[in-house]
Amino acid sequence: AAPGQMVMLVPIKMMVFVDGSWLYYSLFARGRMRCPIIQKYGMGWAQENNVVWREVQEYISETVAKQLPGRLVDVIRVIVFGSVKAGTSRNSLRVRMFQEMENNGFEVHLLTHTGEQEKCVDISLAVDMMHYATVDDGYDIGVLISGDKDFMPAMSRVKQKGKRMVLVTMRNSCNRDLLERSTHVYDFNPVFLDDALDRIIVPRTLQEGVVAGGGGGGE
């Protein structure tokens, strides 16, 4: 640029890929000893508190931006992949979590399964993550919200395409291999949702209309 001419930096495009099944279990289905949310808010926390999904997105964006001084980070899409058993009540914690994510503008892909095993969720996420790493209107930085090491090959492929990766996870709910920096599957310091509980979980009296799980039990 010529002397005195203002340089306009193009925002860095970031796309978030959410392992919804992992996120559900990490938020709602861990025992007291392993769950920082239960330790902080108590066993019935989801009956009295909400997860503010927009704050989850903002927290991730701001945390990544701090590692990119002077650059604007633009989250262009949040894509959620999850599954439910056939016949699961629409009032269940699991279904209502996905409904609220969709209500907050997240793109939710919800599969139905009939057996004990959840099928195709990991594959669908990995395929989309690799697809958008190769198209012109894709992303510069891919964000994976998960703790499952099965995504490591896909993360490596994304990096081979010249994109950067961010891991968003929770302590005590993430595979150790995934956190090992020597694997070189991500480019930034991991973002731990545990560090933002006061921000992303609020009493319902402060956030009316945003229901994280409700009072229902089970899936």
Side-chain angles (χ1 to χ4, degrees):
Q5 182 178 352
M6 181 178 295
V7 177
M8 298 296 292
L9 295 177
V10 177
I12 297 174
K13 294 187 296 183
M14 191 161 73
M15 193 174 291
V16 182
F17 301 88
V18 183
D19 179 355
S21 297
W22 172 88
L23 186 60
Y24 167 78
Y25 286 116
S26 297
L27 290 176
F28 300 110
R30 285 195 286 169
R32 178 186 294 273
M33 296 300 296
R34 295 183 58 82
C35 182
I37 304 176
I38 293 177
Q39 292 172 9
K40 186 176 181 67
Y41 299 103
M43 287 295 294
W45 72 269
Q47 298 178 22
E48 300 177 355
N49 299 274
N50 297 324
V51 175
V52 187
W53 297 109
R54 279 294 175 183
E55 284 295 329
V56 174
Q57 176 181 324
E58 289 297 320
Y59 171 66
I60 295 169
S61 177
E62 292 171 10
T63 305
V64 173
K66 289 178 181 178
Q67 300 182 58
L68 295 165
R71 298 302 303 273
L72 176 66
V73 174
D74 181 20
V75 178
I76 57 176
R77 289 176 80 178
V78 180
I79 310 178
V80 182
F81 298 84
S83 68
V84 294
K85 289 183 182 179
T88 299
S89 169
R90 294 180 61 85
N91 292 321
S92 68
L93 278 166
R94 192 183 186 101
V95 172
R96 294 178 75 174
M97 182 190 83
F98 290 119
Q99 289 175 337
E100 286 304 318
M101 296 176 95
E102 190 168 50
N103 291 344
N104 278 270
F106 297 176
E107 180 180 324
V108 177
H109 298 267
L110 196 57
L111 305 177
T112 301
H113 63 94
T114 56
E116 291 299 322
Q117 297 297 320
E118 300 171 12
K119 300 182 184 298
C120 300
V121 175
D122 291 1
I123 295 174
S124 297
L125 190 157
V127 167
D128 262 27
M129 190 164 66
M130 290 188 290
H131 168 71
Y132 286 109
T134 62
V135 296
D136 292 337
D137 60 345
Y139 57 85
D140 304 305
I141 298 176
V143 177
L144 173 66
I145 301 183
S146 184
D148 189 343
K149 71 174 183 178
D150 289 347
F151 291 113
M152 292 172 65
M155 297 170 77
S156 294
R157 291 291 186 184
V158 167
K159 287 172 58 63
Q160 289 172 7
K161 297 297 182 181
K163 308 300 181 181
R164 288 181 283 183
M165 284 297 306
V166 179
L167 173 66
V168 177
T169 190
M170 296 185 73
R171 297 180 180 89
N172 294 331
S173 191
C174 185
N175 186 276
R176 291 181 180 180
D177 291 343
L178 191 56
L179 287 174
E180 180 55 59
R181 289 301 296 264
S182 63
T183 58
H184 304 294
V185 294
Y186 50 87
D187 302 274
F188 301 86
N189 294 329
V191 178
F192 292 102
L193 296 177
D194 316 50
D195 296 337
L197 294 184
D198 288 338
R199 177 172 177 177
I200 67 177
I201 297 176
V202 301
R204 290 190 174 183
T205 54
L206 299 179
Q207 187 70 26
E208 293 297 332
V210 182
V211 181
E219 290 195 350

